[in-house]
Amino acid sequence: MASFVVPLPNRLRSFSVFASSNGAPPRDSNSQSQTVGPVILELPLEKIRRPLMRTRANDPNKVEELMNSIQEIGLQVPIDVLEVDGVYYGFSGCHRYEAHQRLGLPTIRCKVRRGTKETLRFYSDFLLLSNDS
Ligand code: ADP
C-alpha cells in the first residue's frame, strides 16, 4: 500500500489518498480507516443527487445506444456513487443514469464509496474545474 498527497490548484486543498493492491482502506489513518471498501447497491434514481447535472449535456446518441443495450443485456458496469452522511451523490455515469431515467427504470446499480464532506467538496470543485476547461 502507498500513501501520497496530490497537489491541487490554490482553490482546492491538498488531500490524502491511498492505493492498495486489494482496494482495502489503510488501517492507520483517521477518518478513512472507518470506511469500508465500495459496495454494490441497487439505488432508486431519485435517491442519487447529481450536483453537475445542469452543467453537462449528455450525448443523445450514446444515451440511446445505452438504452438499447441495457434493455437487451442489462447494466454491465455500475455507476460510481459517493455516500456522505447517508446522502448519495453521483458525479459520473451520466449517460447510464439518463438511459435508466428514459427507460423508466426505478433503480440503478451503483458502486458506492463512503466519503466525508471534504471528499464531496473535492469532487464538486475538481469536476466543476474540469468541466470549465
Ligand atoms: P457514462 O456517462 O454513463 O459513463 P459513457 O458513454 O461514457 O457513459 O460510458 C458508458 C459506460 O457504460 C461504459 O463504461 C460501459 O462499459 C458501461 N455499460 C454498462 N452497461 C452497459 C451496457 N449494457 N451496454 C453498454 N455499455 C454499458
Side-chain angles (χ1 to χ4, degrees), residues 13-102:
R13 299 187 204 171
S14 292
F15 73 111
S16 296
V17 296
F18 71 89
S20 68
S21 56
N22 63 1
R27 285 202 208 107
D28 56 351
S29 66
N30 45 37
S31 60
Q32 286 283 358
S33 65
Q34 288 150 25
T35 64
V36 290
V39 291
I40 305 295
L41 291 179
E42 194 76 31
L43 291 176
L45 294 193
E46 72 272 9
K47 283 249 174 196
I48 305 167
R49 293 194 190 173
R50 303 201 59 90
L52 304 182
M53 189 128 88
R54 268 167 292 160
T55 70
R56 290 192 164 165
N58 283 339
D59 176 340
N61 294 327
K62 268 191 187 181
V63 173
E64 288 219 358
E65 278 172 24
L66 276 166
M67 286 169 68
N68 293 334
S69 178
I70 288 165
Q71 262 186 327
E72 206 176 313
I73 59 171
L75 184 66
Q76 301 295 298
V77 183
I79 63 166
D80 288 306
V81 165
L82 182 68
E83 188 233 305
V84 178
D85 296 338
V87 181
Y88 297 102
Y89 298 89
F91 293 95
S92 58
C94 307
H95 294 87
R96 281 165 281 174
Y97 184 90
E98 186 180 333
H100 276 63
Q101 274 185 320
R102 290 184 46 194

Side-chain angles (χ1 to χ4, degrees), residues 82 91 113 118-128:
L82 182 68
F91 293 95
R113 287 184 179 78
E118 277 282 274
T119 329
L120 183 60
R121 207 168 309 127
F122 165 74
Y123 267 79
S124 307
D125 285 352
F126 182 75
L127 291 169
L128 272 174

